[in-house]
Amino acid sequence: MTSALDVPLDPKVLEGLPQPPTITLQSPKDYIFDPRENIVIHCEAKGKPNPSFSWTRNGIHFDVEKDSKVLMKPGSGTLVIDISGEKAEAYEGTYQCTAHNDHGTAVSNNIVIRQSRSPLWSKERNEAITVQMGVSLVLQCRPPVGLPPPVIFWMDNNFQRLPLDQRVSQALNGDLYFSNVLPEDTRSDYICYARFPHTQTIQQKQPISVTVLSSKSKGEHHPGFMLPLGPTSTKMVLRGETLELECIAEGLPTPEISWQKDGGELPSNRMSFHNFKKTLKISDVNEVDGGDYRCTATNNMGTAHHIIKVTVKAAPFWVSAPRNLILAPNETGILTCRVKGEPKPKITWFVNGVLMENAPGDHSRKVEDDTVILSNVQSGSSAVYQCNASNEFGYLLANAFVSVLAEPPRVLTPPNQVYQVISNNPALLHCSSFGSPIPTITWFKDSQTSIKNGDPYVIHENGTLEIHVAQPLNSGKYTCIATNNLGIKENHVYLEVKEPTRILKQPEYKVMQRGMNAVFECKVKHDPSLIPTMIWLKDNGELPDDERFEVDADSLTIKYVTEEDEGTYTCIRNTSLDQDSASAMLTVVEATPTPAIVYEKPDPPTDLELTDHTERSVRLTWIPGDEHNSPTQKFLIQYEDLLHQPGVWINLTEVAGTSTTARLNLSPYVYYSFRVLALNHVGYSLPSQPSHQYRTNPAAPDENPSNVQGVGTQPGNLVISWTPLTGFQSNGPGLEYRVQWRQKDMDEDWSSRNVANVSQFVVSETPTFVPYEIKVQALNDYGSGPEPEIVIGYSGEDFPLSAPDSVQVMVHNSTLAEVHWEPVSASSVRGKLQGYKVYYQRERGLHETEGKMDEQEQVLTFSGNRSEGRLPGLQPYSLYRLLITVLNNKGEGPPSPSKTFETPEGVPGPPSFLNIINPSLDSLILEWGPPLNNNGRLSGYTLKYQPVNNTSELGPVKVMTFLPNETTVILGNLNSSMLYKFYLSAKTIKGSGPVITEEAVIIMETSESSVPSRQVDIATQGWFIGLMCAIALLILVLLIVCFIKRNKGGKYPVKEKEDAHQDPEIQPMKEDDGTFGEYSDTEDHKPLKGSRTPSNGTVRRDESDDSLVDYGEGGEGQFNEDGSFIGQYSGKKEKDTHEGNESSEAPSPVNAMNSFV
């Protein structure tokens, strides 16, 4: 049976899928509304297409449009009923919402709508109550029945709550109980109040008067139960609700109440006592809470018991609700509706809101109690199924749609996701997919190596690839491919395996005198691509906020330590992936004139003595040195082999710091010398003086060579190699090796040869690549070593004899093909099969204009005994040739017959170039070249272009298409001084290829050529406009100053000078026009008296000291390339000769601004 596909949560996937309706929001089953507010009955649903909604009221269709007081929200089924000015009772009833689209119908729960009610207290006259002191009393409240029920409390005329205690208590029904009355209970204002939650109204009962007579007191008496009455009572509670049991007793003295469960224990984690233990509450009731509950009332006169028999019933509750299914055509699915309840619920199935028995017949559908089996579903049979489970205490209703869908695979995991893990930790690479039928997931590493289930990989059912123990060699690119019968989809993710973070130098235990500086080091090794952070802790908390604590990159320094600084300091090095930590203690000692305790390394042991000599052991004894205030933790015993490795000391064993002797196990044929080192908290001592030399006698070897191997290096030989024994392992002189070999499974005798001082032996004239049994045994002058183990080796390999047969090629798409072949026989491999090599080369493109191309041959190697492989990265619309060889350790065999195949068309490459030529005021010419790789038959080009304003905002896009033979276009009606962006792509029948872009500026013609760029539109830049306004304002101020000074002629500086010299050439002021003679235009253009003549002998006409030309308004003022003004404040008075003919008119601010354009 095919398992159904889970519905994905990704909204991008759901958007494009047809989907039956699903109810997403609905009002509660019991809805009590406030008559002062509108009635809002929620019903929201989703589906594809969007569902339509309808309602029933009391089982009859409710026409929403005919009732002006009822509004259905747009795009929703939610009803809003305006009951203002209407009788709210008219809208009470049972409502049900239906959501429908082309693929099915979903229904909501039955929603019972009722109006909240707070009725008035019935008028009654309460008789005054007179009782004897010591008797019990009940004041009844009996509030009006409201919806929902009211909250009851007792108060007096001053609205003060009546005090409640163990003697006076309020029952769950609101009545006031007195276990015994006292004189202080006398009062005339016992008032019961009822608060109705929905309307927030409070009503009161008529006051009750109570008089307690103390003259006739009832004495002490046994307890008795006022509530409940009798020896036993019953209580029924529903599963999941709160059980409330109540016992109120009378008696004098006031009885105490206790609870227990007969035959069981009270659930302490769900139980609570209230009302002075008169009420027992058990929350979240289940079946085990049924039984007999005993409440006991006790005073000094006796006890009384009451048993409450509790029965637990259950409205239907879910074990497993039916789930939505997506099935492919011809698949089979199951809907299950598992419920429990007490009594057992009845299950009824509906389809699209219609009782299953009344729905149209469907042979693929079979109902078995709580299960619906759908077999071999077909397209068009999508529907929504409803399961209704009910008993006398309630019901459950669930919608579950079955969507029959044929959908090609989609990979939901984001592409190019990077996963980072620490070496030797698990790695999980996700490949979440969706499709119908359910896609099959395959993984490839580096786009070539197919990954199979098995060490170190596990491919989970959801497509996730798990690497149990990630190693650096596992880093790389991983490709997951989702495949079903409707298509194939791939996704790439990347794995980065990082080196772990390790603390190399840990902080060390320190004993410091008060006032000294303590330094803890913490040096770390980490992956270079990860950035570590350091955290220091003191006693597992933050460091004190004290400037004496200085944290550096690799250390912590505590300056001027005090006793408060004592503790354990922990260094934690974190990266984004892992962490490492190390701790050390700081002990602070008092710095006093008395000598401080000094901790040092221990002195070396002395007086080494060897006793109890045997062939293979000896006893070593020594005297420990001074410990220097730090107890010895252990002794390290080392030896020197004076025969084989003189001068090299080797660790032999360790013993506890309390020992002064050790039994040492020895090897034969060794000249031993021993020494001892002591270790305390500070460190190792210096080595002791060596012991006397102790020689052991030779013996036969105890072991054989390790790493025995048999490998052929060429056809016809077998090289047997091993790791030789050391002199220490030889156990005696004359060390040799007995090499034995025979062909496996041939029932031959062993061939043997003894060799010495070598680590390999070559056997010649062997068959090609056959297994051999090999043994290598050590022997010396005193005997042979133990019987060696048999090792299997292989003789030399030769080139394979045959080529793979039946080569077939299956082309998946324009860039991927799959090649199949018949594997060669094992005997023809003549070696260990390493795999198959596929050589493939592109012969030429299939386009009629493309000739044969000389392209490099590509090679893919498929490891192991394979019969197929994938060829990725092919070029579309091309003819390929391939051949296959088999590979062993020696090399490759002969090639298979070459096989040709063709790849289908794909999208083309980008156009080879895009040039912009002859831009003018409103037009330009675009010219482009065809793609270097058509990848098919070119069907045309697509051109898109759009303007870009000064703030880089894009304007509307215009699109043009061209035939394949068109490579130029003239674009007109373009805006001047505007930047345009152009996007051009080529297309085939498979679609458009990559886009090539270009941009250009349409500029106005100027006297100088300008380069098209964004900088030419300088006049629109804010900074430039501000600069020009400032210059214009400055010019205006200068003009005003010039004008004012001209009008003050008597005080003009030139006038004063000329008045002083009384030059006869100066003409007096003309009476007829009021002008000054010295400033008039004369024919001779003579320089003024007292004025300075330029060095070139020329005088500018009407030149004055305040000429605006001198402030940069003349011809020499101009802009630099970056728009800055040159020489505007140069103050030059000398002008070229050719300027003498210019107009003497002073430039205006407008002219000044125009001169900059």
Side-chain angles (χ1 to χ4, degrees):
M1 181 175 294
T2 304
S3 60
L5 181 65
D6 286 337
V7 180
L9 299 179
D10 191 341
K12 295 180 181 179
V13 176
L14 294 176
E15 280 179 4
L17 298 178
Q19 182 179 329
T22 301
I23 301 291
T24 58
L25 176 65
Q26 56 182 318
S27 292
K29 295 178 181 179
D30 193 7
Y31 178 11
I32 300 174
F33 67 90
D34 188 339
R36 298 170 298 178
E37 299 176 353
N38 290 340
I39 303 172
V40 180
I41 313 176
H42 292 285
C43 181
E44 307 284 346
K46 65 179 181 179
K48 194 73 172 182
N50 293 327
S52 59
F53 298 88
S54 61
W55 286 86
T56 62
R57 183 171 68 183
N58 299 327
I60 302 173
H61 175 66
F62 181 37
D63 195 340
V64 176
E65 296 181 354
K66 288 186 177 181
D67 193 333
S68 61
K69 293 290 185 177
V70 181
L71 172 68
M72 184 184 293
K73 290 185 177 181
S76 161
T78 298
L79 296 182
V80 179
I81 304 175
D82 181 7
I83 56 175
S84 59
E86 298 289 330
K87 289 186 176 181
E89 295 86 348
Y91 290 99
E92 292 185 321
T94 301
Y95 291 74
Q96 188 172 38
C97 171
T98 299
H100 173 78
N101 69 7
D102 296 339
H103 305 291
T105 301
V107 296
S108 71
N109 292 323
N110 288 320
I111 303 170
V112 178
I113 306 295
R114 295 184 294 169
Q115 176 186 344
S116 64
R117 291 179 171 83
S118 53
L120 297 175
W121 225 300
S122 60
K123 292 184 179 181
E124 60 178 1
R125 184 178 180 83
N126 295 323
E127 298 292 336
I129 299 174
T130 303
V131 295
Q132 293 180 357
M133 185 178 73
V135 302
S136 61
L137 176 65
V138 180
L139 301 183
Q140 294 181 336
C141 181
R142 295 180 182 175
V145 179
L147 186 67
V151 177
I152 305 300
F153 50 94
W154 288 81
M155 294 196 296
D156 59 16
N157 276 330
N158 296 322
F159 299 102
Q160 299 296 315
R161 283 184 178 259
L162 297 179
L164 301 178
D165 53 26
Q166 192 168 354
R167 182 179 65 87
V168 182
S169 57
Q170 178 181 316
L172 295 175
N173 64 1
D175 293 348
L176 192 64
Y177 282 78
F178 296 78
S179 295
N180 51 77
V181 294
L182 299 176
E184 55 262 31
D185 296 328
T186 298
R187 64 191 307 154
S188 60
D189 56 351
Y190 285 96
I191 305 173
C192 179
Y193 287 86
R195 180 170 59 84
F196 296 90
H198 271 56
T199 59
Q200 295 299 317
T201 58
I202 297 178
Q203 299 187 32
Q204 72 176 61
K205 184 182 177 76
Q206 290 296 321
I208 301 175
S209 176
V210 175
T211 303
V212 178
L213 302 177
S214 58
S215 58
K216 298 180 180 181
S217 173
K218 183 177 181 180
E220 294 183 351
H221 55 275
H222 285 74
F225 284 100
M226 307 168 68
L227 181 74
L229 299 175
T232 62
S233 60
T234 60
K235 178 77 172 180
M236 191 276 289
V237 65
L238 292 180
R239 178 184 182 273
E241 295 183 351
T242 298
L243 171 63
E244 294 182 323
L245 302 179
E246 185 176 42
C247 280
I248 301 177
E250 63 168 339
L252 187 66
T254 302
E256 294 184 357
I257 303 296
S258 61
W259 293 87
Q260 67 185 58
K261 183 180 181 183
D262 291 350
E265 295 184 356
L266 296 175
S268 58
N269 58 334
R270 297 182 288 114
M271 173 195 73
S272 60
F273 293 110
H274 302 269
N275 197 16
F276 308 97
K277 293 193 72 174
K278 299 175 185 179
T279 303
L280 168 65
K281 290 186 178 182
I282 299 177
S283 61
D284 194 18
V285 170
N286 55 48
E287 291 77 3
V288 300
D289 295 322
D292 293 347
Y293 290 79
R294 182 186 299 269
C295 64
T296 302
T298 304
N299 68 8
N300 57 11
M301 301 300 294
T303 61
H305 302 278
H306 183 90
I307 295 177
I308 305 175
K309 297 181 179 294
V310 175
T311 303
V312 179
K313 301 290 185 180
F317 61 91
W318 291 115
V319 176
S320 63
R323 299 175 59 188
N324 296 330
L325 299 180
I326 293 182
L327 300 174
N330 300 317
E331 285 188 336
T332 296
I334 294 178
L335 294 173
T336 56
C337 183
R338 304 276 169 81
V339 294
K340 286 186 178 180
E342 179 58 38
K344 182 180 179 181
K346 177 185 177 183
I347 294 178
T348 308
W349 285 95
F350 299 78
V351 57
N352 292 329
V354 178
L355 192 65
M356 191 80 79
E357 289 80 359
N358 300 334
D362 188 345
H363 297 295
S364 66
R365 186 168 61 216
K366 182 181 179 182
V367 179
E368 295 180 355
D369 190 23
D370 61 356
T371 303
V372 174
I373 301 174
L374 304 168
S375 305
N376 298 320
V377 296
Q378 301 300 315
S379 298
S381 60
S382 298
V384 182
Y385 290 80
Q386 290 85 30
C387 166
N388 184 300
S390 61
N391 64 14
E392 60 186 279
F393 299 110
Y395 75 94
L396 292 173
L397 178 67
N399 292 273
F401 69 69
V402 176
S403 180
V404 182
L405 186 65
E407 190 73 15
R410 305 184 194 185
V411 177
L412 307 182
T413 300
N416 300 318
Q417 192 160 342
V418 178
Y419 296 92
Q420 295 182 333
V421 297
I422 294 296
S423 177
N424 296 320
N425 283 281
L428 295 174
L429 310 182
H430 299 298
C431 184
S432 177
S433 64
F434 176 75
S436 184
I438 299 176
T440 300
I441 302 298
T442 54
W443 282 89
F444 290 86
K445 185 176 187 299
D446 299 326
S447 301
Q448 293 182 358
T449 306
S450 177
I451 296 175
K452 303 295 184 183
N453 246 330
D455 252 356
Y457 299 106
V458 173
I459 301 177
H460 294 278
E461 289 186 5
N462 63 356
T464 296
L465 174 65
E466 178 178 2
I467 304 175
H468 290 306
V469 182
Q471 299 295 331
L473 58 87
N474 297 129
S475 297
K477 174 183 175 183
Y478 288 80
T479 302
C480 79
I481 299 179
T483 310
N484 67 10
N485 58 6
L486 298 177
I488 182 171
K489 191 70 175 179
E490 67 178 34
N491 189 48
H492 305 293
V493 297
Y494 298 86
L495 176 62
E496 296 178 357
V497 181
K498 307 292 186 180
E499 290 297 324
T501 301
R502 290 291 177 265
I503 294 177
L504 300 180
K505 184 172 180 55
Q506 300 185 357
E508 297 178 348
Y509 170 73
K510 292 189 178 297
V511 178
M512 305 298 298
Q513 290 186 2
R514 185 161 57 90
M516 303 295 289
N517 293 344
V519 179
F520 291 103
E521 290 188 290
C522 184
K523 294 185 178 179
V524 71
K525 172 182 177 293
H526 62 89
D527 192 284
S529 64
L530 300 178
I531 300 176
T533 59
M534 174 183 282
I535 300 174
W536 283 93
L537 303 178
K538 179 180 184 292
D539 297 329
N540 295 323
E542 293 184 357
L543 291 178
D545 186 10
D546 191 332
E547 61 184 9
R548 295 183 300 110
F549 290 78
E550 295 181 355
V551 177
D552 295 325
D554 294 320
S555 64
L556 167 66
T557 302
I558 308 172
K559 294 185 175 180
Y560 318 118
V561 296
T562 65
E563 287 79 1
E564 290 77 14
D565 298 330
E566 287 190 330
T568 301
Y569 290 84
T570 303
C571 157
I572 302 176
R573 284 293 189 127
N574 289 310
T575 68
S576 58
L577 298 179
D578 68 339
Q579 72 171 35
D580 195 12
S581 63
S583 300
M585 286 186 61
L586 172 63
T587 300
V588 180
V589 296
E590 185 66 28
T592 62
T594 58
I597 299 176
V598 178
Y599 298 91
E600 294 181 358
K601 298 176 183 179
D603 288 342
T606 59
D607 298 335
L608 272 63
E609 184 179 0
L610 298 173
T611 59
D612 300 342
H613 306 83
T614 68
E615 288 291 328
R616 293 291 184 103
S617 69
V618 70
R619 178 171 294 279
L620 175 65
T621 306
W622 61 90
I623 297 175
D626 190 343
E627 294 180 332
H628 293 296
N629 302 312
S630 178
T632 302
Q633 296 174 327
K634 63 182 178 181
F635 291 100
L636 173 62
I637 302 172
Q638 298 176 329
Y639 73 90
E640 178 187 16
D641 183 357
L642 296 170
L643 178 61
H644 304 106
Q645 286 183 293
V648 178
W649 289 92
I650 301 171
N651 294 344
L652 179 60
T653 187
E654 294 177 348
V655 297
T658 56
S659 299
T660 59
T661 183
R663 189 76 183 177
L664 307 179
N665 295 320
L666 308 178
S667 295
Y669 196 52
V670 178
Y671 296 176
Y672 282 103
S673 183
F674 302 99
R675 70 182 187 183
V676 183
L677 295 84
L679 174 70
N680 65 9
H681 280 294
V682 182
Y684 276 105
S685 69
L686 295 173
S688 69
Q689 291 298 317
S691 69
H692 296 297
Q693 188 180 115
Y694 182 71
R695 299 186 179 187
T696 55
N697 296 322
D702 292 327
E703 56 187 308
N704 289 310
S706 58
N707 268 345
V708 177
Q709 299 181 57
V711 179
T713 57
Q714 60 186 25
N717 81 349
L718 171 65
V719 178
I720 302 173
S721 61
W722 59 90
T723 299
L725 300 181
T726 64
F728 182 84
Q729 296 170 317
S730 65
N731 284 7
L735 178 64
E736 291 184 341
Y737 303 99
R738 180 180 293 119
V739 183
Q740 298 174 278
W741 68 93
R742 69 179 179 186
Q743 193 170 336
K744 190 174 183 293
D745 301 328
M746 294 298 289
D747 196 21
E748 295 179 350
D749 293 334
W750 290 92
S751 300
S752 179
R753 183 73 62 85
N754 287 2
V755 295
N757 300 321
V758 295
S759 59
Q760 71 174 31
F761 177 76
V762 180
V763 181
S764 303
E765 299 181 359
T766 62
T768 302
F769 196 66
V770 295
Y772 276 83
E773 294 179 325
I774 301 167
K775 296 191 295 185
V776 180
Q777 186 179 28
L779 59 154
N780 62 18
D781 294 345
Y782 291 83
S784 301
E787 182 63 25
E789 294 182 356
I790 296 176
V791 176
I792 304 299
Y794 284 85
S795 59
E797 302 183 32
D798 205 347
F799 292 104
L801 291 174
S802 58
D805 294 330
S806 304
V807 178
Q808 299 292 331
V809 180
M810 180 188 305
V811 179
H812 287 293
N813 53 43
S814 60
T815 62
L816 178 67
E818 188 173 306
V819 58
H820 295 258
W821 62 86
E822 186 71 29
V824 300
S825 62
S827 60
S828 68
V829 176
R830 299 207 296 176
K832 185 176 180 180
L833 177 64
Q834 296 298 312
Y836 292 85
K837 273 192 175 182
V838 178
Y839 294 84
Y840 60 102
Q841 183 176 17
R842 183 174 182 262
E843 294 286 296
R844 61 179 178 81
L846 296 178
H847 200 278
E848 59 273 5
T849 61
E850 187 175 347
K852 185 171 181 179
M853 303 178 68
D854 186 15
E855 297 204 14
Q856 184 177 358
E857 187 176 51
Q858 295 176 277
V859 183
L860 279 180
T861 302
F862 299 96
S863 302
N865 190 15
R866 297 280 296 273
S867 62
E868 83 286 334
R870 289 177 178 251
L871 308 180
L874 302 178
Q875 189 165 334
Y877 207 52
S878 300
L879 176 66
Y880 278 85
R881 173 186 57 81
L882 66 78
L883 54 85
I884 307 175
T885 64
V886 65
L887 180 69
N888 64 14
N889 287 324
K890 183 67 175 176
E892 299 178 48
S896 67
S898 64
K899 182 80 175 179
T900 59
F901 64 94
E902 297 178 357
T903 55
E905 292 191 51
V907 297
S912 56
F913 64 87
L914 175 61
N915 293 333
I916 299 172
I917 56 178
N918 297 334
S920 62
L921 277 174
D922 62 350
S923 66
L924 53 74
I925 298 175
L926 289 180
E927 182 181 53
W928 62 86
L932 298 178
N933 295 318
N934 286 350
N935 294 340
R937 293 182 291 273
L938 207 61
S939 60
Y941 299 93
T942 300
L943 173 66
K944 299 179 181 180
Y945 64 96
Q946 59 188 145
V948 183
N949 65 15
N950 299 322
T951 59
S952 298
E953 294 178 352
L954 301 176
V957 178
K958 294 185 178 181
V959 181
M960 301 177 71
T961 57
F962 303 96
L963 295 176
N965 57 356
E966 295 182 88
T967 57
T968 59
V969 65
I970 300 175
L971 299 180
N973 297 323
L974 302 179
N975 295 330
S976 61
S977 299
M978 181 66 73
L979 173 69
Y980 279 85
K981 296 196 72 171
F982 302 92
Y983 316 85
L984 182 68
S985 62
K987 59 184 177 180
T988 65
I989 59 172
K990 290 294 185 177
S992 296
V995 173
I996 184 173
T997 63
E998 191 57 76
E999 61 181 44
V1001 174
I1002 309 302
I1003 61 172
M1004 299 178 65
E1005 293 183 356
T1006 60
S1007 58
E1008 296 181 1
S1009 61
S1010 60
V1011 179
S1013 70
R1014 297 179 185 228
Q1015 296 179 350
V1016 298
D1017 197 13
I1018 191 173
T1020 61
Q1021 300 299 311
W1023 65 266
F1024 182 78
I1025 294 174
L1027 177 62
M1028 293 298 101
C1029 291
I1031 294 173
L1033 181 61
L1034 178 62
I1035 294 170
L1036 183 60
V1037 171
L1038 293 173
L1039 287 173
I1040 293 172
V1041 171
C1042 179
F1043 179 76
I1044 291 173
K1045 289 196 173 185
R1046 287 193 179 216
N1047 280 283
K1048 293 181 181 180
K1051 296 182 180 180
Y1052 205 77
V1054 178
K1055 179 70 168 63
E1056 291 174 359
K1057 292 180 180 181
E1058 293 178 355
D1059 287 344
H1061 289 85
Q1062 293 294 318
D1063 196 309
E1065 292 183 10
I1066 298 177
Q1067 301 296 322
M1069 175 185 271
K1070 296 180 181 181
E1071 296 180 358
D1072 54 346
D1073 58 5
T1075 60
F1076 289 98
E1078 65 265 40
Y1079 301 119
S1080 63
D1081 261 345
T1082 64
E1083 286 183 351
D1084 299 332
H1085 302 299
K1086 296 180 179 179
L1088 297 177
K1089 185 71 174 177
S1091 64
R1092 189 170 303 218
T1093 305
S1095 58
N1096 60 6
T1098 63
V1099 179
R1100 171 80 181 260
R1101 183 170 44 158
D1102 280 352
E1103 186 174 12
S1104 72
D1105 288 346
D1106 288 323
S1107 172
L1108 287 179
V1109 176
D1110 297 334
Y1111 287 91
E1113 299 293 341
E1116 290 185 0
Q1118 48 187 296
F1119 279 97
N1120 201 347
E1121 290 181 355
D1122 61 355
S1124 60
F1125 190 69
I1126 299 175
Q1128 59 186 15
Y1129 299 115
S1130 63
K1132 288 185 178 181
K1133 298 289 179 94
E1134 295 82 17
K1135 305 297 176 184
D1136 294 337
T1137 306
H1138 69 275
E1139 291 179 343
N1141 296 326
E1142 292 182 1
S1143 170
S1144 63
E1145 180 182 355
S1148 68
V1150 176
N1151 292 335
M1153 291 299 296
N1154 289 337
S1155 69
F1156 297 144
V1157 180

